[in-house]
Amino acid sequence: MSLLDSALVRLLPAVPKPVVQLFSSRYIAGATLSDAVWCVRDLNTAGAMGTIDVLGEEITREEEARAIAQAYRDVFASIDEAALDSNVSVKLTGLGLGLSYDLCRENLLYVVGVAAGYGNFVRIDMEDASTTDDTLRLYRELREEGHDNLGVVLQSRLRRTVDDVEALADLRPSVRLCKGIYLEPGTIAFTDYEAIRANFVRCLDALLDAGCYVGVATHDEWLIGESLARISQRGLAPLEYELQMLLGVREERRDELVAEGHRLRVYVPFGEHWYSYSVRRLQENPAMAGTIARATAGRVLHLGSR
Ligand code: FDA
């Protein structure tokens, strides 16, 4: 990333929302559940699976958190009706974690209960480091109560993650392993690109050694190669792991991996609360973010000079 691009990426939050929406549309299925259903249907036709996310995070009102939980009921009903190959992903701050642990627990239990009724599965996304302890605590509590249709996410960016793998091992968790999108301070996180990669491989080894089902969530070609080599060394069958990618990212590579016989799941977000998710995705794509920020800056300067 050029210095100019990285400076422009930081300016992204100042870009007008309609411009962000225009450039981020590739990452989001649309505003409605039927947009998500059509998107997953296309993915299924192309041989990939889905995980549907109702957009919404950092919710500040109880009714909103309950509405997101209710929205998942409709998602499961639609998945069932359209016979889609898809589970769901949830953000705990969307279910009210920022308001109260108990409210979030209640909402999560509701979603997991509905999922169980449909024989489906819920993956808890991992958010910033202020939520890690509560997320893992809630995950353990529900698993110990017998809710086995529940998985979690671990981030190789965090220094604690190898210890978290060890601490969770008795549950034989289903884990999505990713680098982690939230930039955390060096005291708790690796900040160097290669160190994050190295920790990803270390955590993957620990998860596979513990007999966990892993969703390897990365578009990083080097990590895809390292992960597939480890999976193959252990002789895992196609049903014993999966690869995961984000909607709108490296779609050609996705199709190749599917053609090679790997099960691959695509993260499909939809809904009205698209803004925070979009900014994160654009910040991961500096060339695009730079283009947008430059275009906007040009427009502002142009207006100013009139
Ligand atoms: P890296 O960022 O190095 O990207 C590798 C290459 O992929 C880039 O060089 C580029 O070609 C391409 N690429 C990556 N992102 C792109 C983008 N936005 N636009 C265009 N090209 C892009 N994080 C988290 O903290 N909690 C979570 O719960 C999840 N959940 C999750 C689910 C799934 C299915 C995926 C794939 C990812 C997540 N993440 C996440 C995000 C993850 O932590 C990470 O930020 C991104 O996947 C980018 O990291 P990569 O491993 O792809 O490497």
Side-chain angles (χ1 to χ4, degrees), residues 26-27 125-126 153 155 176 178-182 193 217-220 244-246 249-250 267 281 284-285:
R26 64 187 269 202
Y27 300 120
D125 287 344
M126 188 61 84
V153 176
Q155 301 156 320
R176 172 196 299 151
C178 64
K179 287 182 181 174
I181 179 64
Y182 306 90
Y193 193 76
T218 182
H219 318 92
D220 179 338
Q244 299 191 354
M245 288 191 174
L246 298 170
V249 180
R250 299 206 66 196
Y267 192 92
R281 293 288 82 85
E284 277 173 330
N285 185 0

mmCIF file of all heavy atoms in Angstrom, residues 26-27 125-126 153 155 176 178-182 193 217-220 244-246 249-250 267 281 284-285, ligand 1:
data_model
loop_
_atom_site.group_PDB
_atom_site.id
_atom_site.type_symbol
_atom_site.label_atom_id
_atom_site.label_comp_id
_atom_site.label_asym_id
_atom_site.label_seq_id
_atom_site.Cartn_x
_atom_site.Cartn_y
_atom_site.Cartn_z
ATOM 1 N N ARG A 26 -20.392 -4.453 -3.768
ATOM 2 C CA ARG A 26 -19.921 -5.813 -4.091
ATOM 3 C C ARG A 26 -19.796 -6.704 -2.852
ATOM 4 O O ARG A 26 -19.771 -7.921 -2.960
ATOM 5 C CB ARG A 26 -18.569 -5.744 -4.804
ATOM 6 C CG ARG A 26 -17.470 -5.170 -3.917
ATOM 7 C CD ARG A 26 -16.184 -4.945 -4.668
ATOM 8 N NE ARG A 26 -15.299 -6.083 -4.625
ATOM 9 C CZ ARG A 26 -13.990 -5.997 -4.836
ATOM 10 N NH1 ARG A 26 -13.435 -4.837 -5.135
ATOM 11 N NH2 ARG A 26 -13.230 -7.062 -4.777
ATOM 12 N N TYR A 27 -19.670 -6.069 -1.679
ATOM 13 C CA TYR A 27 -19.456 -6.845 -0.442
ATOM 14 C C TYR A 27 -20.758 -7.212 0.265
ATOM 15 O O TYR A 27 -20.736 -7.895 1.280
ATOM 16 C CB TYR A 27 -18.607 -6.035 0.548
ATOM 17 C CG TYR A 27 -17.244 -5.659 0.024
ATOM 18 C CD1 TYR A 27 -16.868 -4.321 -0.089
ATOM 19 C CD2 TYR A 27 -16.324 -6.640 -0.345
ATOM 20 C CE1 TYR A 27 -15.612 -3.970 -0.568
ATOM 21 C CE2 TYR A 27 -15.066 -6.291 -0.823
ATOM 22 C CZ TYR A 27 -14.720 -4.959 -0.931
ATOM 23 O OH TYR A 27 -13.482 -4.617 -1.400
ATOM 24 N N ASP A 125 -19.594 -14.405 15.214
ATOM 25 C CA ASP A 125 -18.444 -13.624 14.746
ATOM 26 C C ASP A 125 -17.665 -13.122 15.953
ATOM 27 O O ASP A 125 -18.223 -12.966 17.042
ATOM 28 C CB ASP A 125 -18.914 -12.384 13.955
ATOM 29 C CG ASP A 125 -19.461 -12.731 12.579
ATOM 30 O OD1 ASP A 125 -19.220 -13.843 12.085
ATOM 31 O OD2 ASP A 125 -20.127 -11.853 11.988
ATOM 32 N N MET A 126 -16.379 -12.815 15.733
ATOM 33 C CA MET A 126 -15.605 -12.203 16.820
ATOM 34 C C MET A 126 -15.395 -10.727 16.493
ATOM 35 O O MET A 126 -14.972 -10.396 15.400
ATOM 36 C CB MET A 126 -14.256 -12.907 16.980
ATOM 37 C CG MET A 126 -13.482 -12.454 18.199
ATOM 38 S SD MET A 126 -14.346 -12.767 19.772
ATOM 39 C CE MET A 126 -13.889 -14.466 20.091
ATOM 40 N N VAL A 153 -15.509 -17.746 16.417
ATOM 41 C CA VAL A 153 -14.420 -17.273 15.550
ATOM 42 C C VAL A 153 -13.224 -16.928 16.425
ATOM 43 O O VAL A 153 -13.381 -16.359 17.502
ATOM 44 C CB VAL A 153 -14.857 -16.006 14.759
ATOM 45 C CG1 VAL A 153 -13.694 -15.447 13.937
ATOM 46 C CG2 VAL A 153 -16.040 -16.316 13.846
ATOM 47 N N GLN A 155 -9.184 -15.102 16.205
ATOM 48 C CA GLN A 155 -8.410 -14.177 15.357
ATOM 49 C C GLN A 155 -6.907 -14.358 15.594
ATOM 50 O O GLN A 155 -6.437 -14.189 16.718
ATOM 51 C CB GLN A 155 -8.800 -12.733 15.717
ATOM 52 C CG GLN A 155 -10.277 -12.422 15.530
ATOM 53 C CD GLN A 155 -10.745 -11.266 16.406
ATOM 54 O OE1 GLN A 155 -10.342 -11.148 17.571
ATOM 55 N NE2 GLN A 155 -11.628 -10.428 15.890
ATOM 56 N N ARG A 176 -14.126 -20.820 13.213
ATOM 57 C CA ARG A 176 -13.659 -20.086 12.021
ATOM 58 C C ARG A 176 -12.377 -19.383 12.445
ATOM 59 O O ARG A 176 -12.394 -18.627 13.419
ATOM 60 C CB ARG A 176 -14.685 -19.060 11.567
ATOM 61 C CG ARG A 176 -14.143 -18.155 10.443
ATOM 62 C CD ARG A 176 -14.984 -16.902 10.232
ATOM 63 N NE ARG A 176 -16.343 -17.217 9.863
ATOM 64 C CZ ARG A 176 -17.385 -16.433 10.155
ATOM 65 N NH1 ARG A 176 -17.215 -15.315 10.825
ATOM 66 N NH2 ARG A 176 -18.595 -16.774 9.797
ATOM 67 N N CYS A 178 -9.605 -16.651 11.457
ATOM 68 C CA CYS A 178 -9.312 -15.544 10.526
ATOM 69 C C CYS A 178 -8.178 -14.724 11.124
ATOM 70 O O CYS A 178 -7.748 -14.959 12.247
ATOM 71 C CB CYS A 178 -10.559 -14.685 10.325
ATOM 72 S SG CYS A 178 -11.121 -13.844 11.814
ATOM 73 N N LYS A 179 -7.698 -13.750 10.344
ATOM 74 C CA LYS A 179 -6.633 -12.888 10.879
ATOM 75 C C LYS A 179 -7.193 -11.928 11.929
ATOM 76 O O LYS A 179 -6.539 -11.626 12.921
ATOM 77 C CB LYS A 179 -6.012 -12.065 9.744
ATOM 78 C CG LYS A 179 -5.132 -12.873 8.809
ATOM 79 C CD LYS A 179 -4.515 -11.958 7.753
ATOM 80 C CE LYS A 179 -3.659 -12.767 6.791
ATOM 81 N NZ LYS A 179 -3.172 -11.920 5.672
ATOM 82 N N GLY A 180 -8.396 -11.442 11.703
ATOM 83 C CA GLY A 180 -8.986 -10.448 12.615
ATOM 84 C C GLY A 180 -8.894 -9.072 11.984
ATOM 85 O O GLY A 180 -7.804 -8.612 11.627
ATOM 86 N N ILE A 181 -10.033 -8.430 11.866
ATOM 87 C CA ILE A 181 -10.092 -7.157 11.149
ATOM 88 C C ILE A 181 -9.859 -5.960 12.067
ATOM 89 O O ILE A 181 -9.471 -4.887 11.621
ATOM 90 C CB ILE A 181 -11.455 -7.028 10.416
ATOM 91 C CG1 ILE A 181 -11.589 -5.699 9.657
ATOM 92 C CG2 ILE A 181 -12.631 -7.178 11.356
ATOM 93 C CD1 ILE A 181 -10.636 -5.546 8.573
ATOM 94 N N TYR A 182 -10.076 -6.121 13.364
ATOM 95 C CA TYR A 182 -10.006 -4.959 14.266
ATOM 96 C C TYR A 182 -8.551 -4.706 14.659
ATOM 97 O O TYR A 182 -7.891 -5.616 15.181
ATOM 98 C CB TYR A 182 -10.879 -5.208 15.520
ATOM 99 C CG TYR A 182 -12.295 -5.563 15.128
ATOM 100 C CD1 TYR A 182 -12.667 -6.888 14.911
ATOM 101 C CD2 TYR A 182 -13.250 -4.569 14.924
ATOM 102 C CE1 TYR A 182 -13.959 -7.223 14.512
ATOM 103 C CE2 TYR A 182 -14.542 -4.892 14.523
ATOM 104 C CZ TYR A 182 -14.883 -6.223 14.321
ATOM 105 O OH TYR A 182 -16.153 -6.536 13.924
ATOM 106 N N TYR A 193 2.597 -7.983 9.637
ATOM 107 C CA TYR A 193 1.876 -8.856 8.706
ATOM 108 C C TYR A 193 2.345 -10.307 8.802
ATOM 109 O O TYR A 193 1.537 -11.240 8.890
ATOM 110 C CB TYR A 193 2.081 -8.309 7.277
ATOM 111 C CG TYR A 193 1.167 -8.908 6.242
ATOM 112 C CD1 TYR A 193 -0.168 -8.529 6.165
ATOM 113 C CD2 TYR A 193 1.644 -9.839 5.320
ATOM 114 C CE1 TYR A 193 -1.014 -9.062 5.203
ATOM 115 C CE2 TYR A 193 0.805 -10.380 4.351
ATOM 116 C CZ TYR A 193 -0.527 -9.991 4.299
ATOM 117 O OH TYR A 193 -1.360 -10.535 3.346
ATOM 118 N N ALA A 217 -10.686 -19.091 7.153
ATOM 119 C CA ALA A 217 -11.264 -17.884 6.534
ATOM 120 C C ALA A 217 -10.164 -16.905 6.146
ATOM 121 O O ALA A 217 -9.740 -16.082 6.961
ATOM 122 C CB ALA A 217 -12.253 -17.229 7.497
ATOM 123 N N THR A 218 -9.697 -17.014 4.929
ATOM 124 C CA THR A 218 -8.670 -16.090 4.444
ATOM 125 C C THR A 218 -8.685 -16.042 2.926
ATOM 126 O O THR A 218 -9.081 -17.015 2.279
ATOM 127 C CB THR A 218 -7.269 -16.506 4.942
ATOM 128 O OG1 THR A 218 -6.309 -15.547 4.486
ATOM 129 C CG2 THR A 218 -6.859 -17.892 4.457
ATOM 130 N N HIS A 219 -8.240 -14.894 2.385
ATOM 131 C CA HIS A 219 -8.037 -14.775 0.931
ATOM 132 C C HIS A 219 -6.558 -14.699 0.626
ATOM 133 O O HIS A 219 -6.169 -14.452 -0.506
ATOM 134 C CB HIS A 219 -8.726 -13.511 0.398
ATOM 135 C CG HIS A 219 -10.072 -13.275 0.985
ATOM 136 N ND1 HIS A 219 -10.270 -12.516 2.104
ATOM 137 C CD2 HIS A 219 -11.280 -13.750 0.637
ATOM 138 C CE1 HIS A 219 -11.549 -12.509 2.419
ATOM 139 N NE2 HIS A 219 -12.188 -13.261 1.559
ATOM 140 N N ASP A 220 -5.736 -14.840 1.651
ATOM 141 C CA ASP A 220 -4.283 -14.718 1.530
ATOM 142 C C ASP A 220 -3.744 -16.004 0.899
ATOM 143 O O ASP A 220 -3.813 -17.080 1.500
ATOM 144 C CB ASP A 220 -3.731 -14.499 2.954
ATOM 145 C CG ASP A 220 -2.220 -14.374 2.998
ATOM 146 O OD1 ASP A 220 -1.539 -14.844 2.064
ATOM 147 O OD2 ASP A 220 -1.720 -13.818 3.995
ATOM 148 N N GLN A 244 -13.375 -20.501 3.852
ATOM 149 C CA GLN A 244 -14.385 -19.444 3.901
ATOM 150 C C GLN A 244 -13.836 -18.165 3.277
ATOM 151 O O GLN A 244 -12.655 -17.848 3.426
ATOM 152 C CB GLN A 244 -14.807 -19.168 5.357
ATOM 153 C CG GLN A 244 -15.425 -20.380 6.032
ATOM 154 C CD GLN A 244 -16.080 -20.048 7.372
ATOM 155 O OE1 GLN A 244 -15.985 -18.934 7.867
ATOM 156 N NE2 GLN A 244 -16.747 -21.029 7.948
ATOM 157 N N MET A 245 -14.702 -17.463 2.575
ATOM 158 C CA MET A 245 -14.321 -16.176 1.978
ATOM 159 C C MET A 245 -15.457 -15.168 2.150
ATOM 160 O O MET A 245 -16.588 -15.549 2.436
ATOM 161 C CB MET A 245 -14.016 -16.343 0.487
ATOM 162 C CG MET A 245 -12.711 -17.077 0.208
ATOM 163 S SD MET A 245 -12.285 -16.945 -1.552
ATOM 164 C CE MET A 245 -10.662 -17.704 -1.542
ATOM 165 N N LEU A 246 -15.127 -13.912 1.947
ATOM 166 C CA LEU A 246 -16.127 -12.849 2.025
ATOM 167 C C LEU A 246 -16.757 -12.642 0.652
ATOM 168 O O LEU A 246 -16.076 -12.799 -0.376
ATOM 169 C CB LEU A 246 -15.467 -11.543 2.472
ATOM 170 C CG LEU A 246 -14.817 -11.556 3.858
ATOM 171 C CD1 LEU A 246 -13.993 -10.289 4.066
ATOM 172 C CD2 LEU A 246 -15.883 -11.666 4.950
ATOM 173 N N VAL A 249 -14.958 -10.855 -2.704
ATOM 174 C CA VAL A 249 -13.491 -10.882 -2.634
ATOM 175 C C VAL A 249 -12.956 -12.152 -3.316
ATOM 176 O O VAL A 249 -13.436 -13.253 -3.029
ATOM 177 C CB VAL A 249 -12.998 -10.830 -1.158
ATOM 178 C CG1 VAL A 249 -11.472 -10.851 -1.095
ATOM 179 C CG2 VAL A 249 -13.533 -9.582 -0.457
ATOM 180 N N ARG A 250 -12.005 -12.003 -4.185
ATOM 181 C CA ARG A 250 -11.292 -13.094 -4.885
ATOM 182 C C ARG A 250 -12.252 -14.175 -5.402
ATOM 183 O O ARG A 250 -12.066 -15.366 -5.128
ATOM 184 C CB ARG A 250 -10.219 -13.709 -3.973
ATOM 185 C CG ARG A 250 -9.142 -12.734 -3.531
ATOM 186 C CD ARG A 250 -7.833 -13.414 -3.203
ATOM 187 N NE ARG A 250 -7.212 -14.017 -4.371
ATOM 188 C CZ ARG A 250 -6.238 -14.928 -4.318
ATOM 189 N NH1 ARG A 250 -5.774 -15.335 -3.157
ATOM 190 N NH2 ARG A 250 -5.716 -15.437 -5.424
ATOM 191 N N TYR A 267 -19.394 -15.583 3.147
ATOM 192 C CA TYR A 267 -20.060 -14.726 4.133
ATOM 193 C C TYR A 267 -20.949 -13.739 3.389
ATOM 194 O O TYR A 267 -20.460 -12.941 2.587
ATOM 195 C CB TYR A 267 -18.975 -14.000 4.919
ATOM 196 C CG TYR A 267 -19.426 -13.289 6.162
ATOM 197 C CD1 TYR A 267 -19.385 -13.944 7.389
ATOM 198 C CD2 TYR A 267 -19.842 -11.966 6.120
ATOM 199 C CE1 TYR A 267 -19.763 -13.284 8.551
ATOM 200 C CE2 TYR A 267 -20.231 -11.310 7.273
ATOM 201 C CZ TYR A 267 -20.186 -11.974 8.485
ATOM 202 O OH TYR A 267 -20.565 -11.327 9.636
ATOM 203 N N ARG A 281 -14.543 -3.234 5.064
ATOM 204 C CA ARG A 281 -14.151 -3.953 3.836
ATOM 205 C C ARG A 281 -13.343 -3.046 2.917
ATOM 206 O O ARG A 281 -12.360 -3.451 2.337
ATOM 207 C CB ARG A 281 -15.384 -4.451 3.078
ATOM 208 C CG ARG A 281 -16.175 -5.523 3.779
ATOM 209 C CD ARG A 281 -15.484 -6.879 3.810
ATOM 210 N NE ARG A 281 -14.504 -7.066 4.849
ATOM 211 C CZ ARG A 281 -14.758 -7.455 6.111
ATOM 212 N NH1 ARG A 281 -15.958 -7.716 6.514
ATOM 213 N NH2 ARG A 281 -13.768 -7.611 6.966
ATOM 214 N N GLU A 284 -9.840 -2.609 3.902
ATOM 215 C CA GLU A 284 -8.976 -3.756 3.585
ATOM 216 C C GLU A 284 -8.546 -3.725 2.129
ATOM 217 O O GLU A 284 -7.769 -4.555 1.690
ATOM 218 C CB GLU A 284 -9.750 -5.064 3.777
ATOM 219 C CG GLU A 284 -9.790 -5.537 5.180
ATOM 220 C CD GLU A 284 -10.724 -6.734 5.293
ATOM 221 O OE1 GLU A 284 -11.703 -6.838 4.530
ATOM 222 O OE2 GLU A 284 -10.466 -7.570 6.138
ATOM 223 N N ASN A 285 -9.142 -2.855 1.368
ATOM 224 C CA ASN A 285 -8.908 -2.816 -0.070
ATOM 225 C C ASN A 285 -8.405 -1.417 -0.422
ATOM 226 O O ASN A 285 -9.127 -0.615 -0.987
ATOM 227 C CB ASN A 285 -10.236 -3.123 -0.777
ATOM 228 C CG ASN A 285 -10.064 -3.235 -2.265
ATOM 229 O OD1 ASN A 285 -8.963 -3.094 -2.795
ATOM 230 N ND2 ASN A 285 -11.164 -3.479 -2.957
HETATM 231 P P1 FDA B 1 -5.275 -10.049 3.591
HETATM 232 O O1 FDA B 1 -5.981 -8.910 4.207
HETATM 233 O O2 FDA B 1 -3.798 -10.035 3.579
HETATM 234 O O3 FDA B 1 -5.836 -10.214 2.120
HETATM 235 C C1 FDA B 1 -5.249 -11.113 1.186
HETATM 236 C C2 FDA B 1 -5.702 -10.677 -0.201
HETATM 237 O O4 FDA B 1 -7.119 -10.819 -0.322
HETATM 238 C C3 FDA B 1 -5.449 -9.198 -0.482
HETATM 239 O O5 FDA B 1 -4.146 -8.992 -0.965
HETATM 240 C C4 FDA B 1 -6.514 -8.899 -1.506
HETATM 241 O O6 FDA B 1 -6.116 -9.397 -2.765
HETATM 242 C C5 FDA B 1 -7.669 -9.739 -1.049
HETATM 243 N N1 FDA B 1 -8.588 -8.984 -0.181
HETATM 244 C C6 FDA B 1 -8.726 -9.099 1.164
HETATM 245 N N2 FDA B 1 -9.713 -8.310 1.636
HETATM 246 C C7 FDA B 1 -10.193 -7.655 0.549
HETATM 247 C C8 FDA B 1 -11.232 -6.714 0.353
HETATM 248 N N3 FDA B 1 -11.980 -6.256 1.361
HETATM 249 N N4 FDA B 1 -11.475 -6.274 -0.898
HETATM 250 C C9 FDA B 1 -10.749 -6.728 -1.953
HETATM 251 N N5 FDA B 1 -9.759 -7.630 -1.835
HETATM 252 C C10 FDA B 1 -9.471 -8.083 -0.615
HETATM 253 N N6 FDA B 1 -12.641 -10.751 11.104
HETATM 254 C C11 FDA B 1 -12.931 -10.596 12.418
HETATM 255 O O7 FDA B 1 -12.250 -9.864 13.118
HETATM 256 N N7 FDA B 1 -14.002 -11.256 12.961
HETATM 257 C C12 FDA B 1 -14.786 -12.097 12.231
HETATM 258 O O8 FDA B 1 -15.732 -12.688 12.772
HETATM 259 C C13 FDA B 1 -14.478 -12.264 10.852
HETATM 260 N N8 FDA B 1 -15.237 -13.069 10.058
HETATM 261 C C14 FDA B 1 -14.814 -13.356 8.777
HETATM 262 C C15 FDA B 1 -15.496 -14.285 8.008
HETATM 263 C C16 FDA B 1 -15.013 -14.681 6.781
HETATM 264 C C17 FDA B 1 -15.730 -15.713 5.983
HETATM 265 C C18 FDA B 1 -13.796 -14.079 6.284
HETATM 266 C C19 FDA B 1 -13.205 -14.514 4.979
HETATM 267 C C20 FDA B 1 -13.158 -13.109 7.000
HETATM 268 C C21 FDA B 1 -13.654 -12.714 8.248
HETATM 269 N N9 FDA B 1 -13.039 -11.732 8.999
HETATM 270 C C22 FDA B 1 -13.380 -11.566 10.316
HETATM 271 C C23 FDA B 1 -12.085 -10.790 8.348
HETATM 272 C C24 FDA B 1 -10.660 -11.274 8.479
HETATM 273 O O9 FDA B 1 -10.249 -11.184 9.812
HETATM 274 C C25 FDA B 1 -9.718 -10.429 7.612
HETATM 275 O O10 FDA B 1 -9.798 -9.100 7.984
HETATM 276 C C26 FDA B 1 -9.997 -10.502 6.128
HETATM 277 O O11 FDA B 1 -10.357 -11.778 5.739
HETATM 278 C C27 FDA B 1 -8.742 -10.090 5.325
HETATM 279 O O12 FDA B 1 -7.664 -10.917 5.694
HETATM 280 P P2 FDA B 1 -7.047 -12.030 4.722
HETATM 281 O O13 FDA B 1 -6.715 -13.223 5.557
HETATM 282 O O14 FDA B 1 -7.939 -12.291 3.590
HETATM 283 O O15 FDA B 1 -5.637 -11.421 4.294
#
